[in-house]
Amino acid sequence: MSDSRDRSRRGRRSAAAPASTDPAASSSGGAGVPRSRRSARRVDGSTQVRHGRLSRRGPVAGLAKLLAGGLAVLLVSGASVGAIAAYQVRSDLGDGVSLQAAEGETQQAAPASIDAYEGGFNILVVGTDNDADQGDEFGERDATLNDVNILLHVSADHTNATAVSIPRDLVVPIPACAREDGSGYYSAMAARPINEAYSYGGLGCVASTVSQLTGLDVPFAGMVSFNGVIEMSNAIGGVPVCAASPIDDPYTGLNIAAGETTLSGADALAFLRTRHGVGDGSDLGRISSQQVYLSSLLRTIKSADTLASPTKLYSLARAAASNMTLSDGLTDVTTMVQIGSALKDLPLDSVNFVQYPGTTGGTGVYAGKVQPDEYVAGQLFDAIRADRPFTIPEGSTGVGSESTGTATAAPGAAAPDTGAATTPADGTASGSATAPASGSGAGSGSGSGSTEVIDGLTGQTAADQTCSVAFGG
């Protein structure tokens, strides 16, 4: 999802097949092309049809991962809202879409309970930049790009969770995804920006691509566009965010003062879209700024003001259900209740927001894009797959944000009104490490003892108070 001037599986198991490159990848040379932890898919040899370069590209939008969770919280709180309201929300969801397996994958039946997923369960949340209902308010687009891709992993014992934001420009292999009309498969591609995956098989292709990249099964997925972000922020009365200094981005129209500002509607969307206004102007800086919003969003949703308000819960659930496309597994009421029950009691310091490890400044297929840091990514997903605790290095919030301390209460504790970083209560410097939750370690896992620190990983916990850093700040 972009500003108007930005040019720039159900569970799956893969079957081994030789990889091929698409012409765009091979013309830049095959060296350094990222390899999946899953086996690569074969190319069927057919001519590949490519979309032309889009006139506008960019991010959109926020963590909708809590949409299904918010909806489920509503359902498990049905006594206060009423069965009729729950029925209305369920009706908004529709039938959902099938996450069709890519060529060489086997589509497996979903288990009866989320507890049956070994090592925890995963939900993919996709933000798209094109919605028929939004008109041309955010610019005309001739294709739909999955510009926001967040993979949420919830540990098997439901004590912690990790949300991994994958940069839209991360260059990855895209498997031979099933065509949505059932007529066959697209050709596999060895090195393309991940935000092109939706164009080659819809939500199912994004799920297959993320599964191949991370080595994790993706049984659940949901998709939200600009309107969904606007309506969700309105439903909960806005989300407080902190800016370390004034942020002024003419590309998205964002203009906020230093300190705390409560954002809703189009302003919340502008904050999530801004790239030129924060950090170093890159997509990596934007992700760390987005995590300022996402952590505050979670604190707001988990606050007494929201959970004790049937009206807010109902509005949030309706906003989510009316503005999302969910995989068919997520439209099942029983599954939603199970997911809501797993998420609603998570402590704030047990929820990590991290960025898929990557770097800019590469050459060849990585020129102007994001190159995966396979070593750090390997450590991250090894830990997630094993449901093993890990923590983020001290001071590693990312280039688009800075730490100001740790929240002591869920209801969105006030951020500093001067924009200056403060010293946490434990005396550590600004940008403190994400502390292990209840001795089990931040991030994925339920083990005991010391936790692994993954050097090179950036992010924060939902308990960490952070401020977005203005471009050049």
Side-chain angles (χ1 to χ4, degrees):
M1 281 142 260
S2 69
D3 57 66
S4 60
R5 304 185 191 181
D6 188 4
R7 308 293 187 191
S8 12
R9 290 170 273 195
R10 303 206 190 270
R12 293 172 166 75
R13 302 290 179 189
S14 300
S20 300
T21 60
D22 88 83
S26 60
S27 63
S28 301
V33 172
R35 303 297 299 176
S36 164
R37 293 183 175 277
R38 300 233 169 166
S39 51
R41 274 61 169 185
R42 62 183 176 83
V43 176
D44 62 12
S46 61
T47 301
Q48 298 176 32
V49 178
R50 294 282 181 260
H51 292 281
R53 180 177 294 275
L54 299 180
S55 59
R56 299 172 177 86
R57 296 174 58 187
V60 59
L63 184 66
K65 80 172 180 60
L66 286 168
L67 297 181
L71 175 58
V73 170
L74 168 68
L75 293 174
V76 299
S77 304
S80 59
V81 180
I84 294 177
Y87 173 79
Q88 289 175 333
V89 172
R90 175 61 185 86
S91 298
D92 288 337
L93 289 172
D95 296 330
V97 298
S98 174
L99 299 181
Q100 298 184 60
E103 189 175 29
E105 294 180 334
T106 300
Q107 192 167 15
Q108 299 180 351
S113 169
I114 60 171
D115 293 329
Y117 288 102
E118 184 178 354
F121 65 91
N122 306 303
I123 303 174
L124 175 65
V125 177
V126 174
T128 58
D129 68 347
N130 202 351
D131 184 344
D133 294 333
Q134 74 188 26
D136 59 1
E137 181 180 355
F138 304 104
E140 297 179 359
R141 293 166 173 81
D142 58 7
T144 298
L145 301 176
N146 49 295
D147 275 342
V148 171
N149 306 276
I150 301 175
L151 182 64
L152 172 68
H153 173 79
V154 180
S155 65
D157 62 3
H158 306 165
T159 61
N160 50 74
T162 297
V164 183
S165 292
I166 303 174
R168 64 166 192 169
D169 290 332
L170 188 75
V171 176
V172 302
I174 296 178
C177 295
R179 295 178 183 271
E180 292 177 285
D181 62 5
S183 62
Y185 298 91
Y186 289 96
S187 296
M189 292 165 279
R192 301 300 301 168
I194 196 169
N195 71 340
E196 294 181 4
Y198 189 87
S199 298
Y200 301 102
L203 188 59
C205 189
V206 184
S208 289
T209 301
V210 171
S211 179
Q212 175 178 274
L213 175 69
T214 63
L216 298 171
D217 286 334
V218 182
F220 306 111
M223 182 172 65
V224 64
S225 63
F226 288 132
N227 287 338
V229 176
I230 291 173
E231 294 304 322
M232 276 197 61
S233 64
N234 289 339
I236 59 175
V239 176
V241 299
C242 172
S245 58
I247 298 175
D248 184 7
D249 180 10
Y251 293 93
T252 62
L254 179 67
N255 190 339
I256 59 175
E260 184 178 284
T261 303
T262 297
L263 300 177
S264 60
D267 291 331
L269 177 62
F271 184 87
L272 289 164
R273 294 178 66 203
T274 185
R275 175 169 64 87
H276 298 282
V278 295
D280 60 358
S282 72
D283 193 38
L284 303 184
R286 174 168 49 202
I287 286 177
S288 54
S289 177
Q290 287 175 344
Q291 290 172 345
V292 173
Y293 180 97
L294 301 179
S295 59
S296 181
L297 171 63
L298 180 55
R299 292 194 295 270
T300 301
I301 289 177
K302 290 178 71 67
S303 71
D305 287 344
T306 301
L307 293 179
S309 170
T311 300
K312 284 188 177 181
L313 282 175
Y314 177 62
S315 297
L316 176 63
R318 287 298 302 270
S322 300
N323 291 281
M324 287 198 77
T325 299
L326 301 180
S327 63
D328 47 16
L330 277 182
T331 61
D332 178 78
V333 173
T334 300
T335 300
M336 287 190 293
V337 171
Q338 291 174 352
I339 291 175
S341 297
L343 294 175
K344 68 184 181 69
D345 293 327
L346 283 175
L348 293 174
D349 58 0
S350 294
V351 180
N352 261 4
F353 295 99
V354 302
Q355 184 174 132
Y356 188 99
T359 59
T360 57
T363 59
V365 295
Y366 304 113
K369 303 297 179 182
V370 178
Q371 180 172 353
D373 184 330
E374 296 183 357
Y375 177 74
V376 178
Q379 294 181 77
L380 171 62
F381 290 103
D382 283 348
I384 291 177
R385 278 192 301 273
D387 224 17
R388 189 174 68 238
F390 67 86
T391 192
I392 303 166
E394 182 175 347
S396 298
T397 59
V399 69
S401 64
E402 65 183 26
S403 176
T404 64
T406 301
T408 56
D417 58 10
T418 63
T422 59
T423 302
D426 62 3
T428 60
S430 175
S432 61
T434 55
S438 303
S440 65
S444 174
S446 55
S448 59
S450 62
T451 60
E452 174 187 9
V453 177
I454 302 179
D455 291 329
L457 189 63
T458 62
Q460 65 170 91
T461 72
D464 291 335
Q465 294 280 3
T466 51
C467 293
S468 292
V469 175
F471 176 73

